[in-house]
Amino acid sequence: MTHYLLDTNIISHVTKPAPSAKLSAWMAGQVDEDLFIASLTVAEIRRGLLEKPAGKKRRALERWFAGPEGPQALFAGRILPFDEAAGLVWARLMAEGTAIGRPRNALDTIIAAVAEANNCVVVTDNEKDFAGVKIVNPLRTAT
């Protein structure tokens, strides 16, 4: 069985009023227990909410975030931390990127490190920043 770590951009796509048909089909074909998010994803979503101007849209997003369809509720027990093991993987991935002249984005690399430390495949449409990491991009292909 394969475990998947959903990148923050995948969560954003899924919550759109009209998400990608390919992504919806891929998600429908997965078992919830095989889908995880990183604690960083919760933080990135919360930061995005806090940076939105006050108003109707922000209030609606805050209700979603705190409610039963929000990431903490939907992924209860399946939110993976950036712990010591992931930290060591992160250091290696960052150093490898620097060594080949392609510095990595620190936040994306945290997600990659959490995935590798927990034997997960990253689900993302950000293939460039996850080069060299096991990924699946359901927005590109339906496999």
Side-chain angles (χ1 to χ4, degrees):
M1 116 179 40
T2 302
H3 289 164
Y4 297 99
L5 182 70
L6 305 179
D7 189 11
T8 308
N9 64 21
I10 294 299
I11 300 297
S12 295
H13 282 294
V14 169
T15 60
K16 288 182 178 180
S20 156
K22 285 182 178 181
L23 178 58
S24 295
W26 186 87
M27 293 289 288
Q30 305 308 310
V31 177
D32 286 351
E33 291 74 27
D34 293 338
L35 301 176
F36 297 82
I37 61 173
S39 56
L40 176 62
T41 293
V42 176
E44 286 183 310
I45 293 169
R46 183 69 180 145
R47 176 184 171 197
L49 293 175
L50 293 171
E51 291 179 348
K52 285 206 172 303
K56 185 177 178 179
K57 182 168 183 155
R58 178 174 169 170
R59 284 190 304 275
L61 287 170
E62 286 177 336
R63 280 191 301 276
W64 164 78
F65 182 81
E69 297 296 315
Q72 292 164 290
L74 281 180
F75 291 92
R78 295 177 289 125
I79 300 174
L80 302 175
F82 181 66
D83 58 9
E84 181 180 357
L88 294 172
V89 173
W90 179 85
R92 178 181 49 79
L93 291 173
M94 292 296 288
E96 287 173 357
T98 300
I100 63 171
R102 291 191 186 124
R104 295 180 176 268
N105 175 290
L107 294 180
D108 288 334
T109 306
I110 287 173
I111 290 175
V114 169
E116 185 176 318
N118 290 279
N119 299 311
C120 294
V121 174
V122 177
V123 180
T124 186
D125 71 339
N126 181 3
E127 294 180 43
K128 178 182 170 266
D129 286 336
F130 287 94
V133 175
K134 288 190 284 186
I135 69 162
V136 63
N137 180 352
L139 293 163
R140 184 171 45 84
T141 61
T143 59

